[in-house]
Amino acid sequence: MKKVIKKGNAYFQCEECLLLYKDKTMAEKCERFCKKYKGCNLEITKHAIKVD
Ligand SMILES: [Zn+2]
């Protein structure tokens, strides 16, 4: 999980699936799940934020 700055806002990125989260806890959950199951959990990824 790493912190990234996009358009002046801080986000937390899952280093496995590269999705961005506002919430550090969600990013950690996502990364833990992604690493373990090699796939994403919809219940987690629905909290991901789309930033272009
Ligand atoms: Zn992930």
Side-chain angles (χ1 to χ4, degrees):
M1 201 257 321
K2 69 174 182 180
K3 197 173 178 181
V4 290
I5 307 291
K6 298 245 183 193
K7 294 178 181 173
N9 295 306
Y11 299 97
F12 299 95
Q13 185 176 47
C14 168
E15 292 186 64
E16 291 292 310
C17 67
L18 305 180
L19 284 172
L20 294 169
Y21 295 91
K22 262 275 184 224
D23 187 348
K24 188 181 176 185
T25 317
M26 289 314 297
E28 279 171 348
K29 269 190 194 171
C30 185
E31 194 165 302
R32 216 174 300 140
F33 191 96
C34 288
K35 274 186 180 149
K36 194 169 178 184
Y37 300 103
K38 299 289 169 204
C40 288
N41 183 343
L42 262 180
E43 285 301 304
I44 298 173
T45 57
K46 72 180 181 190
H47 296 281
I49 289 164
K50 190 113 185 68
V51 187
D52 297 314

Tab-separated table of all heavy atoms in Angstrom:
chain	number	residue	atom	x	y	z
A	1	MET	N	0.845	-1.181	0.000
A	1	MET	CA	0.000	0.000	0.000
A	1	MET	C	0.882	1.232	0.000
A	1	MET	O	1.788	1.332	0.794
A	1	MET	CB	-0.874	-0.032	1.253
A	1	MET	CG	-2.109	0.808	1.182
A	1	MET	SD	-1.994	2.358	2.069
A	1	MET	CE	-1.107	1.936	3.538
A	2	LYS	N	0.632	2.121	-0.902
A	2	LYS	CA	1.435	3.347	-0.908
A	2	LYS	C	0.550	4.570	-1.039
A	2	LYS	O	-0.574	4.495	-1.541
A	2	LYS	CB	2.490	3.306	-2.012
A	2	LYS	CG	1.946	3.387	-3.402
A	2	LYS	CD	3.081	3.477	-4.412
A	2	LYS	CE	2.526	3.611	-5.823
A	2	LYS	NZ	3.573	3.694	-6.837
A	3	LYS	N	1.095	5.673	-0.587
A	3	LYS	CA	0.360	6.923	-0.619
A	3	LYS	C	0.678	7.637	-1.926
A	3	LYS	O	1.837	7.735	-2.315
A	3	LYS	CB	0.805	7.785	0.570
A	3	LYS	CG	-0.150	8.905	0.886
A	3	LYS	CD	0.284	9.591	2.175
A	3	LYS	CE	-0.625	10.760	2.491
A	3	LYS	NZ	-0.205	11.450	3.713
A	4	VAL	N	-0.337	8.097	-2.591
A	4	VAL	CA	-0.109	8.828	-3.835
A	4	VAL	C	-0.866	10.156	-3.783
A	4	VAL	O	-1.914	10.261	-3.161
A	4	VAL	CB	-0.550	8.035	-5.098
A	4	VAL	CG1	0.356	6.863	-5.353
A	4	VAL	CG2	-1.978	7.571	-4.983
A	5	ILE	N	-0.312	11.145	-4.453
A	5	ILE	CA	-0.979	12.439	-4.518
A	5	ILE	C	-1.482	12.647	-5.940
A	5	ILE	O	-0.734	12.551	-6.901
A	5	ILE	CB	-0.002	13.593	-4.154
A	5	ILE	CG1	0.694	13.332	-2.809
A	5	ILE	CG2	-0.726	14.932	-4.165
A	5	ILE	CD1	-0.186	13.408	-1.586
A	6	LYS	N	-2.761	12.872	-6.049
A	6	LYS	CA	-3.364	13.140	-7.361
A	6	LYS	C	-4.189	14.412	-7.253
A	6	LYS	O	-5.056	14.523	-6.398
A	6	LYS	CB	-4.286	11.979	-7.785
A	6	LYS	CG	-3.549	10.667	-7.952
A	6	LYS	CD	-3.580	10.205	-9.383
A	6	LYS	CE	-2.899	8.848	-9.505
A	6	LYS	NZ	-2.641	8.490	-10.884
A	7	LYS	N	-3.917	15.346	-8.157
A	7	LYS	CA	-4.644	16.611	-8.171
A	7	LYS	C	-4.716	17.264	-6.790
A	7	LYS	O	-5.763	17.771	-6.373
A	7	LYS	CB	-6.050	16.400	-8.738
A	7	LYS	CG	-6.028	15.998	-10.201
A	7	LYS	CD	-7.435	15.756	-10.701
A	7	LYS	CE	-7.402	15.332	-12.166
A	7	LYS	NZ	-8.721	14.920	-12.637
A	8	GLY	N	-3.608	17.163	-6.060
A	8	GLY	CA	-3.530	17.818	-4.759
A	8	GLY	C	-4.190	17.067	-3.618
A	8	GLY	O	-4.207	17.528	-2.486
A	9	ASN	N	-4.762	15.891	-3.916
A	9	ASN	CA	-5.377	15.094	-2.866
A	9	ASN	C	-4.561	13.835	-2.607
A	9	ASN	O	-3.992	13.265	-3.530
A	9	ASN	CB	-6.795	14.675	-3.269
A	9	ASN	CG	-7.716	15.863	-3.391
A	9	ASN	OD1	-7.850	16.660	-2.467
A	9	ASN	ND2	-8.336	16.002	-4.544
A	10	ALA	N	-4.547	13.431	-1.352
A	10	ALA	CA	-3.818	12.220	-0.990
A	10	ALA	C	-4.731	11.005	-1.074
A	10	ALA	O	-5.875	11.036	-0.625
A	10	ALA	CB	-3.267	12.361	0.417
A	11	TYR	N	-4.223	9.958	-1.694
A	11	TYR	CA	-4.967	8.704	-1.792
A	11	TYR	C	-4.055	7.570	-1.375
A	11	TYR	O	-2.834	7.718	-1.365
A	11	TYR	CB	-5.441	8.463	-3.232
A	11	TYR	CG	-6.364	9.517	-3.754
A	11	TYR	CD1	-5.871	10.549	-4.535
A	11	TYR	CD2	-7.722	9.487	-3.449
A	11	TYR	CE1	-6.721	11.548	-5.005
A	11	TYR	CE2	-8.575	10.470	-3.928
A	11	TYR	CZ	-8.071	11.505	-4.696
A	11	TYR	OH	-8.897	12.477	-5.157
A	12	PHE	N	-4.658	6.446	-1.104
A	12	PHE	CA	-3.889	5.259	-0.767
A	12	PHE	C	-4.136	4.231	-1.851
A	12	PHE	O	-5.280	3.965	-2.225
A	12	PHE	CB	-4.295	4.731	0.608
A	12	PHE	CG	-4.041	5.745	1.687
A	12	PHE	CD1	-5.045	6.600	2.111
A	12	PHE	CD2	-2.772	5.858	2.243
A	12	PHE	CE1	-4.800	7.570	3.080
A	12	PHE	CE2	-2.514	6.815	3.219
A	12	PHE	CZ	-3.527	7.672	3.639
A	13	GLN	N	-3.045	3.700	-2.379
A	13	GLN	CA	-3.160	2.781	-3.501
A	13	GLN	C	-2.818	1.346	-3.123
A	13	GLN	O	-1.802	1.089	-2.475
A	13	GLN	CB	-2.226	3.243	-4.626
A	13	GLN	CG	-2.362	2.405	-5.884
A	13	GLN	CD	-1.504	2.946	-7.012
A	13	GLN	OE1	-0.335	3.252	-6.822
A	13	GLN	NE2	-2.086	3.071	-8.185
A	14	CYS	N	-3.658	0.440	-3.565
A	14	CYS	CA	-3.373	-0.981	-3.408
A	14	CYS	C	-2.311	-1.320	-4.450
A	14	CYS	O	-2.512	-1.080	-5.633
A	14	CYS	CB	-4.637	-1.795	-3.661
A	14	CYS	SG	-4.321	-3.550	-3.830
A	15	GLU	N	-1.194	-1.844	-4.008
A	15	GLU	CA	-0.100	-2.103	-4.946
A	15	GLU	C	-0.314	-3.353	-5.783
A	15	GLU	O	0.439	-3.624	-6.702
A	15	GLU	CB	1.230	-2.162	-4.192
A	15	GLU	CG	1.597	-0.786	-3.647
A	15	GLU	CD	2.973	-0.758	-3.014
A	15	GLU	OE1	3.944	-0.972	-3.742
A	15	GLU	OE2	3.057	-0.541	-1.794
A	16	GLU	N	-1.330	-4.100	-5.464
A	16	GLU	CA	-1.642	-5.300	-6.243
A	16	GLU	C	-2.545	-4.963	-7.425
A	16	GLU	O	-2.239	-5.279	-8.556
A	16	GLU	CB	-2.323	-6.345	-5.358
A	16	GLU	CG	-1.411	-6.948	-4.301
A	16	GLU	CD	-0.308	-7.822	-4.924
A	16	GLU	OE1	-0.619	-8.680	-5.740
A	16	GLU	OE2	0.859	-7.631	-4.561
A	17	CYS	N	-3.656	-4.313	-7.167
A	17	CYS	CA	-4.604	-4.015	-8.250
A	17	CYS	C	-4.552	-2.550	-8.676
A	17	CYS	O	-5.212	-2.168	-9.626
A	17	CYS	CB	-6.016	-4.401	-7.839
A	17	CYS	SG	-6.683	-3.389	-6.503
A	18	LEU	N	-3.786	-1.741	-7.955
A	18	LEU	CA	-3.549	-0.335	-8.279
A	18	LEU	C	-4.773	0.565	-8.126
A	18	LEU	O	-4.794	1.690	-8.630
A	18	LEU	CB	-2.952	-0.187	-9.691
A	18	LEU	CG	-1.661	-0.982	-9.959
A	18	LEU	CD1	-1.176	-0.746	-11.383
A	18	LEU	CD2	-0.555	-0.621	-8.974
A	19	LEU	N	-5.773	0.087	-7.432
A	19	LEU	CA	-6.937	0.931	-7.181
A	19	LEU	C	-6.606	1.956	-6.090
A	19	LEU	O	-5.762	1.713	-5.233
A	19	LEU	CB	-8.131	0.085	-6.745
A	19	LEU	CG	-8.836	-0.686	-7.863
A	19	LEU	CD1	-9.878	-1.625	-7.266
A	19	LEU	CD2	-9.495	0.256	-8.850
A	20	LEU	N	-7.291	3.076	-6.164
A	20	LEU	CA	-7.045	4.158	-5.207
A	20	LEU	C	-8.184	4.265	-4.204
A	20	LEU	O	-9.352	4.108	-4.552
A	20	LEU	CB	-6.922	5.486	-5.950
A	20	LEU	CG	-5.719	5.644	-6.874
A	20	LEU	CD1	-5.897	6.896	-7.724
A	20	LEU	CD2	-4.431	5.736	-6.080
A	21	TYR	N	-7.807	4.569	-2.987
A	21	TYR	CA	-8.799	4.733	-1.916
A	21	TYR	C	-8.512	5.998	-1.134
A	21	TYR	O	-7.367	6.371	-0.924
A	21	TYR	CB	-8.748	3.540	-0.946
A	21	TYR	CG	-9.144	2.249	-1.593
A	21	TYR	CD1	-8.188	1.443	-2.190
A	21	TYR	CD2	-10.467	1.856	-1.628
A	21	TYR	CE1	-8.542	0.245	-2.814
A	21	TYR	CE2	-10.836	0.663	-2.244
A	21	TYR	CZ	-9.874	-0.132	-2.830
A	21	TYR	OH	-10.236	-1.299	-3.441
A	22	LYS	N	-9.570	6.657	-0.680
A	22	LYS	CA	-9.452	7.809	0.197
A	22	LYS	C	-9.081	7.331	1.598
A	22	LYS	O	-8.431	8.016	2.352
A	22	LYS	CB	-10.810	8.538	0.288
A	22	LYS	CG	-10.931	9.737	-0.618
A	22	LYS	CD	-10.331	10.959	0.065
A	22	LYS	CE	-10.531	12.197	-0.779
A	22	LYS	NZ	-9.338	13.024	-0.839
A	23	ASP	N	-9.583	6.146	1.891
A	23	ASP	CA	-9.460	5.577	3.220
A	23	ASP	C	-8.298	4.578	3.280
A	23	ASP	O	-8.271	3.594	2.558
A	23	ASP	CB	-10.795	4.867	3.515
A	23	ASP	CG	-10.878	4.356	4.938
A	23	ASP	OD1	-9.844	4.336	5.637
A	23	ASP	OD2	-11.983	3.973	5.342
A	24	LYS	N	-7.352	4.866	4.143
A	24	LYS	CA	-6.174	4.017	4.270
A	24	LYS	C	-6.546	2.583	4.651
A	24	LYS	O	-5.973	1.624	4.160
A	24	LYS	CB	-5.254	4.615	5.345
A	24	LYS	CG	-3.920	3.936	5.444
A	24	LYS	CD	-3.072	4.567	6.558
A	24	LYS	CE	-1.763	3.807	6.706
A	24	LYS	NZ	-0.971	4.295	7.831
A	25	THR	N	-7.522	2.461	5.524
A	25	THR	CA	-7.958	1.131	5.974
A	25	THR	C	-8.497	0.294	4.815
A	25	THR	O	-8.225	-0.897	4.711
A	25	THR	CB	-9.061	1.275	7.050
A	25	THR	OG1	-8.678	2.317	7.935
A	25	THR	CG2	-9.232	-0.002	7.823
A	26	MET	N	-9.245	0.926	3.919
A	26	MET	CA	-9.789	0.208	2.770
A	26	MET	C	-8.654	-0.253	1.845
A	26	MET	O	-8.687	-1.366	1.325
A	26	MET	CB	-10.750	1.096	1.981
A	26	MET	CG	-12.082	1.392	2.641
A	26	MET	SD	-12.950	-0.012	3.382
A	26	MET	CE	-13.272	-1.037	1.967
A	27	ALA	N	-7.685	0.600	1.640
A	27	ALA	CA	-6.550	0.249	0.779
A	27	ALA	C	-5.777	-0.926	1.366
A	27	ALA	O	-5.349	-1.823	0.634
A	27	ALA	CB	-5.637	1.451	0.592
A	28	GLU	N	-5.636	-0.931	2.666
A	28	GLU	CA	-4.947	-2.046	3.325
A	28	GLU	C	-5.740	-3.337	3.196
A	28	GLU	O	-5.183	-4.391	2.929
A	28	GLU	CB	-4.717	-1.725	4.811
A	28	GLU	CG	-3.509	-0.841	5.020
A	28	GLU	CD	-3.379	-0.326	6.448
A	28	GLU	OE1	-4.335	-0.459	7.240
A	28	GLU	OE2	-2.306	0.215	6.758
A	29	LYS	N	-7.042	-3.244	3.365
A	29	LYS	CA	-7.912	-4.409	3.226
A	29	LYS	C	-7.830	-4.949	1.814
A	29	LYS	O	-7.755	-6.152	1.596
A	29	LYS	CB	-9.372	-4.005	3.496
A	29	LYS	CG	-9.800	-4.153	4.920
A	29	LYS	CD	-11.319	-3.953	4.989
A	29	LYS	CE	-11.770	-3.740	6.413
A	29	LYS	NZ	-13.174	-3.342	6.478
A	30	CYS	N	-7.880	-4.055	0.850
A	30	CYS	CA	-7.831	-4.427	-0.554
A	30	CYS	C	-6.530	-5.164	-0.856
A	30	CYS	O	-6.532	-6.237	-1.436
A	30	CYS	CB	-7.959	-3.178	-1.433
A	30	CYS	SG	-8.064	-3.544	-3.196
A	31	GLU	N	-5.433	-4.589	-0.413
A	31	GLU	CA	-4.140	-5.192	-0.714
A	31	GLU	C	-3.996	-6.574	-0.069
A	31	GLU	O	-3.480	-7.510	-0.673
A	31	GLU	CB	-3.013	-4.269	-0.254
A	31	GLU	CG	-1.685	-4.699	-0.845
A	31	GLU	CD	-0.628	-3.619	-0.727
A	31	GLU	OE1	-0.858	-2.507	-1.236
A	31	GLU	OE2	0.396	-3.877	-0.106
A	32	ARG	N	-4.496	-6.676	1.144
A	32	ARG	CA	-4.434	-7.960	1.839
A	32	ARG	C	-5.241	-9.012	1.074
A	32	ARG	O	-4.801	-10.130	0.864
A	32	ARG	CB	-4.988	-7.805	3.259
A	32	ARG	CG	-4.252	-8.651	4.271
A	32	ARG	CD	-4.727	-8.356	5.680
A	32	ARG	NE	-4.527	-6.960	6.052
A	32	ARG	CZ	-5.393	-6.211	6.746
A	32	ARG	NH1	-6.546	-6.722	7.144
A	32	ARG	NH2	-5.119	-4.967	7.050
A	33	PHE	N	-6.422	-8.608	0.628
A	33	PHE	CA	-7.285	-9.517	-0.117
A	33	PHE	C	-6.672	-9.876	-1.478
A	33	PHE	O	-6.611	-11.035	-1.854
A	33	PHE	CB	-8.670	-8.892	-0.307
A	33	PHE	CG	-9.684	-9.878	-0.830
A	33	PHE	CD1	-10.519	-10.546	0.048
A	33	PHE	CD2	-9.788	-10.132	-2.188
A	33	PHE	CE1	-11.445	-11.474	-0.428
A	33	PHE	CE2	-10.703	-11.054	-2.673
A	33	PHE	CZ	-11.535	-11.718	-1.793
A	34	CYS	N	-6.199	-8.878	-2.181
A	34	CYS	CA	-5.615	-9.076	-3.513
A	34	CYS	C	-4.423	-10.030	-3.463
A	34	CYS	O	-4.280	-10.900	-4.309
A	34	CYS	CB	-5.155	-7.744	-4.100
A	34	CYS	SG	-6.518	-6.689	-4.605
A	35	LYS	N	-3.594	-9.857	-2.460
A	35	LYS	CA	-2.405	-10.704	-2.332
A	35	LYS	C	-2.788	-12.138	-2.032
A	35	LYS	O	-2.213	-13.069	-2.575
A	35	LYS	CB	-1.495	-10.180	-1.215
A	35	LYS	CG	-0.560	-9.103	-1.710
A	35	LYS	CD	0.431	-8.686	-0.634
A	35	LYS	CE	1.354	-7.600	-1.166
A	35	LYS	NZ	1.790	-6.685	-0.101
A	36	LYS	N	-3.759	-12.287	-1.172
A	36	LYS	CA	-4.161	-13.616	-0.733
A	36	LYS	C	-4.903	-14.380	-1.823
A	36	LYS	O	-4.636	-15.541	-2.067
A	36	LYS	CB	-5.033	-13.480	0.510
A	36	LYS	CG	-5.246	-14.775	1.259
A	36	LYS	CD	-5.883	-14.501	2.616
A	36	LYS	CE	-6.139	-15.817	3.346
A	36	LYS	NZ	-6.847	-15.582	4.620
A	37	TYR	N	-5.836	-13.708	-2.493
A	37	TYR	CA	-6.695	-14.401	-3.447
A	37	TYR	C	-6.389	-14.110	-4.908
A	37	TYR	O	-7.034	-14.638	-5.797
A	37	TYR	CB	-8.160	-14.067	-3.149
A	37	TYR	CG	-8.570	-14.480	-1.762
A	37	TYR	CD1	-8.704	-13.530	-0.739
A	37	TYR	CD2	-8.816	-15.816	-1.457
A	37	TYR	CE1	-9.077	-13.904	0.547
A	37	TYR	CE2	-9.179	-16.200	-0.178
A	37	TYR	CZ	-9.320	-15.244	0.815
A	37	TYR	OH	-9.678	-15.615	2.084
A	38	LYS	N	-5.430	-13.253	-5.156
A	38	LYS	CA	-5.066	-12.893	-6.534
A	38	LYS	C	-6.274	-12.395	-7.321
A	38	LYS	O	-6.444	-12.685	-8.503
A	38	LYS	CB	-4.403	-14.069	-7.275
A	38	LYS	CG	-3.115	-14.558	-6.638
A	38	LYS	CD	-1.980	-13.556	-6.826
A	38	LYS	CE	-0.767	-13.922	-5.964
A	38	LYS	NZ	0.070	-12.758	-5.675
A	39	GLY	N	-7.130	-11.685	-6.621
A	39	GLY	CA	-8.302	-11.122	-7.264
A	39	GLY	C	-8.895	-10.076	-6.352
A	39	GLY	O	-8.475	-9.951	-5.206
A	40	CYS	N	-9.863	-9.328	-6.855
A	40	CYS	CA	-10.437	-8.266	-6.053
A	40	CYS	C	-11.750	-8.673	-5.406
A	40	CYS	O	-12.491	-9.493	-5.925
A	40	CYS	CB	-10.647	-7.027	-6.912
A	40	CYS	SG	-9.096	-6.226	-7.312
A	41	ASN	N	-12.025	-8.076	-4.284
A	41	ASN	CA	-13.275	-8.268	-3.573
A	41	ASN	C	-14.173	-7.077	-3.878
A	41	ASN	O	-13.845	-5.939	-3.555
A	41	ASN	CB	-12.976	-8.338	-2.075
A	41	ASN	CG	-14.220	-8.601	-1.248
A	41	ASN	OD1	-15.342	-8.424	-1.716
A	41	ASN	ND2	-14.007	-9.020	-0.033
A	42	LEU	N	-15.308	-7.341	-4.530
A	42	LEU	CA	-16.232	-6.261	-4.900
A	42	LEU	C	-16.678	-5.411	-3.717
A	42	LEU	O	-16.880	-4.206	-3.851
A	42	LEU	CB	-17.462	-6.852	-5.581
A	42	LEU	CG	-17.463	-6.831	-7.101
A	42	LEU	CD1	-18.740	-7.460	-7.632
A	42	LEU	CD2	-17.351	-5.396	-7.610
A	43	GLU	N	-16.826	-6.066	-2.568
A	43	GLU	CA	-17.236	-5.335	-1.366
A	43	GLU	C	-16.193	-4.300	-0.966
A	43	GLU	O	-16.503	-3.314	-0.312
A	43	GLU	CB	-17.466	-6.311	-0.200
A	43	GLU	CG	-18.752	-7.103	-0.330
A	43	GLU	CD	-19.991	-6.201	-0.388
A	43	GLU	OE1	-20.173	-5.411	0.543
A	43	GLU	OE2	-20.739	-6.287	-1.366
A	44	ILE	N	-14.943	-4.550	-1.368
A	44	ILE	CA	-13.871	-3.599	-1.062
A	44	ILE	C	-13.687	-2.620	-2.217
A	44	ILE	O	-13.617	-1.413	-2.018
A	44	ILE	CB	-12.546	-4.352	-0.785
A	44	ILE	CG1	-12.704	-5.263	0.445
A	44	ILE	CG2	-11.399	-3.359	-0.559
A	44	ILE	CD1	-11.527	-6.186	0.712
A	45	THR	N	-13.659	-3.148	-3.441
A	45	THR	CA	-13.364	-2.281	-4.584
A	45	THR	C	-14.460	-1.265	-4.875
A	45	THR	O	-14.218	-0.275	-5.542
A	45	THR	CB	-13.075	-3.094	-5.862
A	45	THR	OG1	-14.184	-3.947	-6.138
A	45	THR	CG2	-11.823	-3.930	-5.721
A	46	LYS	N	-15.647	-1.498	-4.358
A	46	LYS	CA	-16.714	-0.499	-4.567
A	46	LYS	C	-16.393	0.806	-3.839
A	46	LYS	O	-16.983	1.840	-4.126
A	46	LYS	CB	-18.083	-1.053	-4.181
A	46	LYS	CG	-18.307	-1.223	-2.700
A	46	LYS	CD	-19.702	-1.787	-2.449
A	46	LYS	CE	-19.947	-1.946	-0.946
A	46	LYS	NZ	-21.161	-2.703	-0.667
A	47	HIS	N	-15.450	0.736	-2.899
A	47	HIS	CA	-15.034	1.952	-2.179
A	47	HIS	C	-13.867	2.658	-2.871
A	47	HIS	O	-13.433	3.713	-2.428
A	47	HIS	CB	-14.610	1.596	-0.752
A	47	HIS	CG	-15.736	1.039	0.077
A	47	HIS	ND1	-16.686	1.835	0.658
A	47	HIS	CD2	-16.041	-0.235	0.396
A	47	HIS	CE1	-17.549	1.047	1.307
A	47	HIS	NE2	-17.190	-0.198	1.166
A	48	ALA	N	-13.392	2.058	-3.941
A	48	ALA	CA	-12.269	2.654	-4.664
A	48	ALA	C	-12.697	3.961	-5.323
A	48	ALA	O	-13.872	4.163	-5.646
A	48	ALA	CB	-11.739	1.687	-5.716
A	49	ILE	N	-11.724	4.820	-5.528
A	49	ILE	CA	-12.001	6.129	-6.108
A	49	ILE	C	-11.383	6.210	-7.517
A	49	ILE	O	-10.259	5.771	-7.735
A	49	ILE	CB	-11.446	7.230	-5.190
A	49	ILE	CG1	-12.299	7.302	-3.947
A	49	ILE	CG2	-11.414	8.570	-5.896
A	49	ILE	CD1	-11.679	8.053	-2.820
A	50	LYS	N	-12.171	6.746	-8.411
A	50	LYS	CA	-11.685	6.895	-9.782
A	50	LYS	C	-11.044	8.265	-9.942
A	50	LYS	O	-11.711	9.288	-9.773
A	50	LYS	CB	-12.874	6.736	-10.758
A	50	LYS	CG	-12.471	6.635	-12.185
A	50	LYS	CD	-12.778	5.235	-12.744
A	50	LYS	CE	-12.261	5.080	-14.153
A	50	LYS	NZ	-10.807	5.063	-14.281
A	51	VAL	N	-9.758	8.270	-10.247
A	51	VAL	CA	-9.060	9.529	-10.459
A	51	VAL	C	-8.316	9.439	-11.792
A	51	VAL	O	-7.594	8.483	-12.036
A	51	VAL	CB	-8.011	9.811	-9.345
A	51	VAL	CG1	-7.437	11.211	-9.503
A	51	VAL	CG2	-8.623	9.656	-7.972
A	52	ASP	N	-8.552	10.385	-12.660
A	52	ASP	CA	-7.879	10.348	-13.965
A	52	ASP	C	-6.611	11.180	-13.961
A	52	ASP	O	-6.545	12.186	-13.302
A	52	ASP	CB	-8.812	10.855	-15.061
A	52	ASP	CG	-10.020	9.937	-15.186
A	52	ASP	OD1	-9.810	8.699	-15.205
A	52	ASP	OD2	-11.141	10.455	-15.249
B	1	ZN	ZN	-6.387	-4.389	-4.468
